[in-house]
Amino acid sequence: MTASFSNKLRRGISPVMLAIVMAVALVLWLLLGDQRSAQDEAPPPKELAAEQLHKVETRWSQAEPLSREQVLQGQLLPWQQVQVMAQVSGRVEKLLKQQGERVSAGEPLLQLSDEGRSQQLEQARAIYRLRQKELEGARKLRASNYVTENEIVRLEGEVARAQADLSAAQLAVKYNQPVAPFDGVVDRHHVEVGEYVQPADPLMSVVNVERLKATAQIPQQEANRVAEGQAVKIRLLDGRELEGEVNFVSLAADPQTRSFYVEVEVANPESWRVAGGSATLRIQLPPVMAHRFSPALLRLGAGGELGVRAVDENGQVIHYPVRVVAMTEAGATVEGLPERLQVITQGAGFVDPGQQVRTELVPPGEQNDASGVAPIETQPLPGQGAAE
């Protein structure tokens, strides 16, 4: 029975079909054999890369609010200070205000001799009235065609000239008594009774020190940090302090120093005698989120910028440029970083930005690189403080 089945099978399969079946079987055997050989000879690529990744130590750093101040050296000036000048010539007849006396705006300071200016004023008034009468009469005659239009125009010009002369004479008499330009104090006398003065000669100095003006120069790299309205603490050389507010920051730098002019309005309720002296200005800047590291963690980037190296969530090294806010014995306080990052504390010098690394997270308090520095405290900006 078996022999007859085999004979029937050989008779039912052609040589061509048999060759195709054998070829397919051979191809399947070769494919299965290559796959098994590859698995036996080499480990997966991922296992190989994990063994060769560089290992670094890291710790988490959390940014904290940092109150900053810009420290500048400047000087204090009176809020207003004017030298009252003579505007007419004459002899000083009387000093109406003494040095140190308070004056109100428009109050007479001294009396100059008249030098005939009052008589000139009376004459100017009389001429002005005369010219007005002449013009009024001519206009009445013009209605009857007894006066030409040109005559009317000439008389109008005479009236205008007489009015200008009258105004000048009134001012000349007014200048016999120079007045205070604003509320303040007479700071200095520059003339004495009996002294003869000419126009533009200084007579008295009037100052207003109920408010003061603190001025300073801010370096160009720090100018954008200061704005109008920021609070300022002013420390005097004797240790006393005043408070003020930024009143003005110039838009253009001084071409000689490349620094910007800053003006601060300072309250002086007790009228301290400090105008003209030097002072230290501490401008209170808006707080920033800052990190504090050991200076050993700061490195230069490819472009020469100072920065810190950290690891992202994918285990790749990132170089973050930073700006140093303060450098003290407690560490380097920097800004420009994310609020939270995994900073490399050991091995940063052996890896490059973009490189994949293996990380070992060091718990807080176990760092051996002096990166566990003290908490952030208020610090002035570097390079701006001077000895007080």
Side-chain angles (χ1 to χ4, degrees), residues 85-347:
M85 303 288 190
Q87 293 178 279
V88 294
S89 59
R91 196 172 303 278
V92 178
E93 293 184 341
K94 187 176 182 180
L95 298 176
L96 303 176
K97 294 295 179 180
Q98 300 302 317
Q99 294 179 155
E101 277 193 67
R102 290 189 173 275
V103 294
S104 300
E107 192 173 358
L109 299 175
L110 70 160
Q111 178 68 51
L112 297 178
S113 59
D114 185 74
E115 303 295 323
R117 284 181 282 272
S118 295
Q119 289 81 1
Q120 293 175 359
L121 174 59
E122 292 301 323
Q123 181 181 7
R125 283 175 178 160
I127 294 175
Y128 176 65
R129 289 195 298 268
L130 175 61
R131 296 293 181 257
Q132 281 186 316
K133 293 296 183 180
E134 290 176 347
L135 179 59
E136 291 174 3
R139 284 174 175 169
K140 292 179 181 179
L141 294 175
R142 176 58 183 164
S144 303
N145 291 325
Y146 289 112
V147 175
T148 65
E149 184 65 27
N150 289 341
E151 181 66 13
I152 296 296
V153 173
R154 186 187 68 79
L155 291 175
E156 288 176 345
E158 293 292 334
V159 170
R161 181 185 303 173
Q163 186 174 16
D165 292 341
L166 175 59
S167 298
Q170 289 173 333
L171 281 176
V173 172
K174 182 180 178 181
Y175 293 154
N176 287 339
Q177 284 190 338
V179 299
F182 50 78
D183 295 348
V185 176
V186 176
D187 190 54
R188 290 284 304 277
H189 282 167
H190 300 296
V191 293
E192 297 295 338
V193 174
E195 187 173 346
Y196 192 84
V197 297
Q198 297 284 353
D201 285 347
L203 303 175
M204 290 185 181
S205 294
V206 180
V207 298
N208 175 11
V209 294
E210 293 182 356
R211 289 184 298 167
L212 299 172
K213 186 189 305 179
T215 63
Q217 298 288 332
I218 183 170
Q220 57 182 333
Q221 63 270 23
E222 308 294 345
N224 289 334
R225 296 178 174 271
V226 178
E228 296 178 7
Q230 291 175 341
V232 184
K233 295 181 179 179
I234 296 91
R235 186 176 181 85
L236 308 178
L237 293 181
D238 58 7
R240 291 181 294 175
E241 289 189 352
L242 294 170
E243 295 184 353
E245 183 178 283
V246 176
N247 183 58
F248 175 74
V249 181
S250 64
L251 298 177
D254 186 302
Q256 302 297 326
T257 63
R258 304 300 180 188
S259 58
F260 289 79
Y261 172 80
V262 178
E263 185 176 288
V264 177
E265 181 180 348
V266 184
N268 186 24
E270 299 182 20
S271 297
W272 289 349
R273 288 183 172 88
V274 294
S278 58
T280 301
L281 282 61
R282 296 183 177 273
I283 304 175
Q284 308 304 304
L285 303 177
V288 296
M289 300 301 292
H291 294 258
R292 176 173 287 175
F293 306 115
S294 165
L297 300 186
L298 301 177
R299 296 186 174 276
L300 293 178
E305 72 282 359
L306 194 65
V308 172
R309 289 186 179 176
V311 179
D312 65 8
E313 63 275 7
N314 298 321
Q316 287 188 341
V317 178
I318 299 179
H319 180 83
Y320 288 101
V322 298
R323 182 181 181 279
V324 177
V325 177
M327 186 76 74
T328 65
E329 295 180 357
T333 303
V334 301
E335 63 175 335
L337 297 173
E339 290 194 15
R340 180 173 168 82
L341 78 162
Q342 193 174 358
V343 62
I344 300 176
T345 58
Q346 289 289 333

Side-chain angles (χ1 to χ4, degrees), residues 333-369:
T333 303
V334 301
E335 63 175 335
L337 297 173
E339 290 194 15
R340 180 173 168 82
L341 78 162
Q342 193 174 358
V343 62
I344 300 176
T345 58
Q346 289 289 333
F350 300 97
V351 294
D352 297 319
Q355 183 177 342
Q356 197 84 16
V357 295
R358 288 187 298 126
T359 61
E360 179 180 346
L361 187 62
V362 181
E366 297 185 10
Q367 293 88 357
N368 57 4
D369 65 325

